[in-house]
């Protein structure tokens, strides 16, 4: 479904991603792990069109997408839930869902149906629909950020650090929701500091080290990899 081939991304003269390749199959959950500053967020930003690779190609469902605008990619079925949620504090939960729906593909289910699906998945979002985003708890904000992404009826959902700053019990709820979305056939690209969690949820993973993919394997093999254990799992 998604194929990133040999992309290089620079901020000014500084190369932050070098020759990165990765793929996400239809309905697959893939994780990108790596230390702080390894380039994980940059990778997602390049895929969603926020950054233009200097080299390499990105294809989605067989068509070239590098160089396309973020709103075009959203209409094609790529939703990006950014690190830090990036909600509008003064806007209500419902307004965020409406905003998320604006660029849905032409063949997406009707708006009301998508909204009901989100409410089913996130009962808390339904309860809080008239509340301003700035007054929500961290966990609720993350749920709204994901719900906003889902309102565009994506085929690929990219999640950047969804568990950041959340209490363990909220992380568990979120993990169940991500598993549920995966079971329903949604392709997911997950960036997550909690490497153990990411490898428990995902089918496959890539390890990024200073902008390069140094390892790729099934999640079950990565968990057993001595280098991964030492660097990320504290074993
Ligand atoms: P973290 O886990 O800390 O979020 P990351 O793996 O997601 O890290 P990126 O955010 O992709 O890493 O950053 C990769 C490198 O690019 C870092 O060294 C960062 O300082 C640098 N960088 C990120 N954004 C910019 C920018 N707008 N301008 C210049 N350098 C940047």
């Amino acid at each position: 479904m998604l194929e990133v081939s040999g992309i290089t991304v620079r901020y000014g003269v500084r190369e932050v991603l070098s020759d990165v390749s990765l793929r996400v199959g239809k309905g697959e959950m893939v994780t990108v792990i790596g230390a702080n500053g390894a380039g994980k967020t940059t990778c997602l930003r390049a895929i969603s069109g926020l950054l233009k690779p200097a080299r390499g190609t990105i294809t989605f469902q067989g068509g070239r997408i590098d160089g396309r605008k973020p709103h075009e990619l959203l209409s094609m079925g790529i939703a990006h839930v950014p690190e830090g949620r990036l909600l509008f504090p003064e806007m209500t939960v419902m307004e965020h869902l409406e905003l998320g729906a604006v660029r849905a593909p032409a063949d997406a289910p009707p708006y009301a149906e998508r909204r009901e699906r989100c409410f089913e998945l996130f009962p808390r979002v339904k309860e809080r629909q008239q509340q301003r985003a700035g007054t929500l708890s961290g966990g609720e904000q993350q749920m709204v950020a994901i719900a906003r992404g889902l309102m565009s009826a994506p085929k690929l959902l990219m999640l950047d650090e969804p568990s950041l700053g959340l209490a363990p019990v909220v992380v568990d709820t979120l993990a169940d929701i991500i598993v549920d979305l995966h079971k329903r056939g949604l392709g997911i690209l997950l960036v997550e500091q909690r490497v153990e969690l990411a490898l428990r949820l995902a089918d496959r993973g890539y390890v990024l080290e200073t902008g390069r993919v140094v390892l790729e394997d099934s999640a079950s093999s990565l968990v057993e990899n001595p280098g991964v254990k030492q660097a990320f799992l504290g074993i």
Side-chain angles (χ1 to χ4, degrees):
M1 183 169 61
L2 175 79
E3 189 99 36
V4 174
S5 305
I7 61 163
T8 292
V9 175
R10 299 193 185 102
Y11 289 115
V13 291
R14 193 164 154 235
E15 194 161 297
V16 176
L17 292 183
S18 311
D19 196 22
V20 166
S21 297
L22 63 87
R23 73 186 166 78
V24 182
K26 193 167 182 286
E28 199 180 22
M29 180 162 6
V30 172
T31 185
V32 178
I33 59 178
N36 287 334
K40 306 178 295 295
T41 295
T42 302
C43 203
L44 298 193
R45 290 173 64 83
I47 294 167
S48 62
L50 293 164
L51 294 168
K52 195 168 161 9
R55 272 206 304 273
T57 60
I58 307 176
T59 60
F60 183 64
Q61 297 191 306
R64 193 88 186 251
I65 59 163
D66 47 285
R68 292 235 190 194
K69 299 268 181 292
H71 68 266
E72 293 178 299
L73 298 177
L74 199 54
S75 301
M76 291 171 78
I78 300 180
H80 183 171
V81 182
E83 183 175 355
R85 322 355 162 182
L86 305 190
L87 301 182
F88 299 95
E90 294 303 322
M91 277 171 56
T92 65
V93 168
M94 188 53 88
E95 284 167 341
H96 279 88
L97 299 192
E98 285 165 7
L99 200 62
V102 167
R103 294 288 180 176
D107 63 352
Y111 171 80
E113 200 177 302
R114 280 179 276 148
R115 193 187 52 196
E116 279 319 302
R117 259 193 232 169
C118 274
F119 286 163
E120 196 189 303
L121 206 57
F122 301 105
R124 187 67 76 89
V125 170
K126 183 177 185 177
E127 267 169 40
R128 304 287 160 127
Q129 49 186 292
Q130 297 310 333
Q131 193 168 327
R132 285 180 203 276
T135 63
L136 297 170
S137 72
E140 289 166 351
Q141 289 192 9
Q142 185 61 63
M143 287 176 197
V144 172
I146 296 176
R148 175 179 59 185
L150 292 174
M151 286 303 288
S152 66
K155 297 179 180 77
L156 176 70
L157 181 70
M158 300 199 293
L159 299 171
D160 197 351
E161 308 280 5
S163 84
L164 198 72
L166 303 185
V169 58
V170 183
V171 175
D172 289 346
T173 308
L174 201 62
D176 289 344
I177 290 166
I178 295 171
V179 167
D180 192 9
L181 289 170
H182 181 37
K183 279 194 189 141
R184 293 176 194 214
L186 185 63
I188 297 175
L189 183 56
L190 172 68
V191 165
E192 180 50 64
Q193 283 287 344
R194 297 182 199 224
V195 172
E196 196 187 336
L197 174 71
L199 292 177
R200 179 152 54 81
L201 301 182
D203 303 308
R204 288 189 308 111
Y206 294 83
V207 180
L208 210 53
E209 206 175 276
T210 51
R212 290 182 184 275
V213 173
V214 292
L215 198 57
E216 91 176 78
D217 213 332
S218 65
S220 54
S221 300
L222 287 175
V223 168
E224 297 301 330
N225 182 288
V228 172
K229 279 185 173 174
Q230 196 187 3
F232 303 110
L233 302 175
I235 302 170

